[in-house]
Amino acid sequence: MAMDQMLRKAVFAALIGAITVLTIYEASAAVRFKRFAHCPEGLVSKKTCECHAGSSGRFHFCHAGQNCDTIHGLCHKQTRSQ
């Protein structure tokens, strides 16, 4: 009897744990897959945008003050000329 109760409690705990993990995973997807507007070529003035490589799905997040290279989908820091 005691073994049956322990097994039931373990199964119940595992079920609650799995439901909790799945709920947190779904909620965090909204943050992980958040989309931003596309950056134009050149200096970025928006707080955050997506610098896309042409029409491909490849992109990087750019922040204000960086340069968006739309050929490669990369962001570069603004360099100062001397």
Side-chain angles (χ1 to χ4, degrees), residues 15-25:
L15 182 64
I16 295 297
I19 289 171
T20 302
V21 167
L22 289 173
T23 302
I24 291 170
Y25 182 78

Side-chain angles (χ1 to χ4, degrees), residues 1-46:
M1 278 285 187
M3 194 63 144
D4 260 357
Q5 283 183 329
M6 283 179 36
L7 184 59
R8 284 183 187 168
K9 286 182 181 180
V11 168
F12 183 71
L15 182 64
I16 295 297
I19 289 171
T20 302
V21 167
L22 289 173
T23 302
I24 291 170
Y25 182 78
E26 288 296 321
S28 68
V31 174
R32 286 182 290 127
F33 300 117
K34 183 173 181 178
R35 299 305 303 256
F36 293 92
H38 289 210
C39 300
E41 175 72 29
L43 186 63
V44 174
S45 60
K46 296 180 182 180

Side-chain angles (χ1 to χ4, degrees), residues 13 22 30 38-39 42 48 50 55 58 68 72 80:
L22 289 173
H38 289 210
C39 300
T48 302
E50 297 177 2
S55 60
R58 180 180 167 192
C68 174
H72 301 102
R80 294 183 180 173

Side-chain angles (χ1 to χ4, degrees), residues 38-44 51-52 66-74 76:
H38 289 210
C39 300
E41 175 72 29
L43 186 63
V44 174
C51 184
H52 285 260
Q66 293 181 323
N67 282 312
C68 174
D69 175 5
T70 56
I71 295 172
H72 301 102
L74 299 172
H76 305 283

